Amino acid sequence: MRLKNKIIWKLIVIILCFLCILFLALFSRRKDDNTQYMNLREERLLKENERASIRDARQSTKTVEKTQDQEPQEGQSGAETESEDKVIQVLIKTDDYSSYEHSSLQFTIQGDYRITGGEEASLKSGETVTVERDSPYFRDGSFRIEPLEENNQLTLLSVSRGQGNPSYQGAFTIYQEEAGLRIVNELPVETYLRGVVPSEMPSSYEMEALKAQAVCARTYAYVQLGENKLKDLGAQVDDSVSFQVYQNSGTNERTDEAVAATRGEILCQNGSPIDAYYFSTSHGKTSTDEVWEASAPAAYLKSVVCEYDKEEPWYRWSVTFSKEQLLKGIQSSYPEITDLSSLEILEVGEGDAVLSMGINSPKETVTVQNEYTIRQILAPRGLKITRQDGSVVDGGSLLPSAYFTLEELREGEELKGYTIHGGGYGHGVGLSQNGAQHMAQEGNGYKEILEYFYNGVTLNRAGEEQ
């Protein structure tokens, strides 16, 4: 009996050890996924600021297309047919999002496909295909890959994303480039959004926050369809932070639900889709597009008090620069400045963003305007940023936000540097993602969230005018 008991206890210990190893592996993977999401979100926010800072204020004259005057069928939303049929073309970038040009492509398929172009072919589910620039599939520089059933998926083995090798629905066009290949994914907007929302907001967020994000993402997609910026490349958007991140995290049941629950809904003013800007974390207020020196401020962007995200780490932060570190950033834009006497905040906007900053040197004074330019000059590269929860993170190529004050550091009359005390993360215009999350936790619905952050907008269905 003793021997039998010993064997039983050993088995129990082995099983417990296995379960502990499994738990640690899952926890480690989740931590890596969260880290990767945060890195990607910070990169996206950088690009969002970049796009917003250089854009001309645009009064859209485009009107959402009108649907047929008919009642939706039972169980079907009025926008289901129109928005499902509306397709978007997405340019797929290389592994590191550095280029549109792939040296070669390799993919496998789930479901049957057909190739049309030069050498037509049928592809059976499970096949793996490699495409080189001299492939016989090409005719007049391109060929198409089309699924025989709607839910078929193509997995790009030659591309790596946060989820691993990304899988896509829809059709594809592959183009010959001078030294490689370009690939464009064509699919319905609603299907596209299933790959966008989980890459732009954690799928663990409250459902009403995810719905608000889905509406913003859909609105953005419809604006891009109208602008058609990448038409020379056969697309309207790409899959990177330059537009909206697509299929980095893969689809998720919760974000799929958020997309389906808001099917076809876009934010409009006067019948036209708005620029539905969003950012990570507020400092206690949001701003208007005055932060980008808009010549014609958008009526739907307003400054609102936002203390919902006051418990977030980025709600308050600080970073200390030496005089030499500040000069290095200043000289990247103003190489003629060789010494620094002081920095001075000259103008603060409605939402408390620094809109104008003076750089004083012994020989001259330079005035810097535009929140993005200010954040670029004050980029905390190589420095440590301390957040309100005590956590310390590495600085990057932009100051976390333009919502800050300056604390001068001197020894006697000699300037030694500055500590910047700031709040929030991102440009601060439009919807705060963490604010939306906390609003949802307090019981607010997605419509209430959107109405809080955007002024005088209507929630239209794509295909309707109001």
Side-chain angles (χ1 to χ4, degrees), residues 138-158:
F138 287 104
R139 176 189 293 165
D140 297 327
S142 68
F143 71 89
R144 278 180 65 81
I145 306 169
E146 299 173 344
L148 298 188
E149 294 184 14
E150 182 181 354
N151 292 325
N152 290 358
Q153 290 192 335
L154 182 149
T155 301
L156 273 178
L157 303 177
S158 53

Side-chain angles (χ1 to χ4, degrees), residues 15-33:
I15 290 169
L16 288 172
C17 288
F18 175 77
L19 290 173
C20 287
I21 292 169
L22 182 62
F23 173 78
L24 289 172
L26 289 172
F27 177 80
S28 175
R29 179 173 179 180
R30 183 175 180 181
K31 184 177 179 181
D32 290 343
D33 288 346

Side-chain angles (χ1 to χ4, degrees), residues 50-119:
E50 214 166 37
R51 293 195 302 272
S53 67
I54 63 175
R55 97 198 202 290
D56 292 326
R58 176 171 52 83
Q59 293 299 310
S60 176
T61 58
K62 297 179 288 293
T63 302
V64 187
E65 297 172 11
K66 192 172 185 179
T67 55
Q68 296 177 349
D69 295 326
Q70 61 180 26
E71 291 296 319
Q73 297 176 9
E74 186 177 353
Q76 179 187 46
S77 72
E80 188 162 343
T81 302
E82 179 71 17
S83 78
E84 272 304 300
D85 290 343
K86 195 77 170 179
V87 298
I88 190 166
Q89 293 161 313
V90 188
L91 196 54
I92 307 299
K93 301 188 79 170
T94 54
D95 266 2
D96 54 0
Y97 295 104
S98 64
S99 174
Y100 295 146
E101 196 167 293
H102 301 253
S103 57
S104 65
L105 292 165
Q106 186 178 59
F107 60 85
T108 186
I109 54 173
Q110 296 84 51
D112 297 341
Y113 284 73
R114 64 168 171 254
I115 291 178
T116 59
E119 185 178 287

Side-chain angles (χ1 to χ4, degrees), residues 324-341:
E324 292 70 28
Q325 289 164 333
L326 286 167
L327 265 175
K328 186 176 181 180
I330 291 167
Q331 288 172 341
S332 65
S333 297
Y334 301 97
E336 69 276 11
I337 295 180
T338 57
D339 196 7
L340 177 65
S341 300

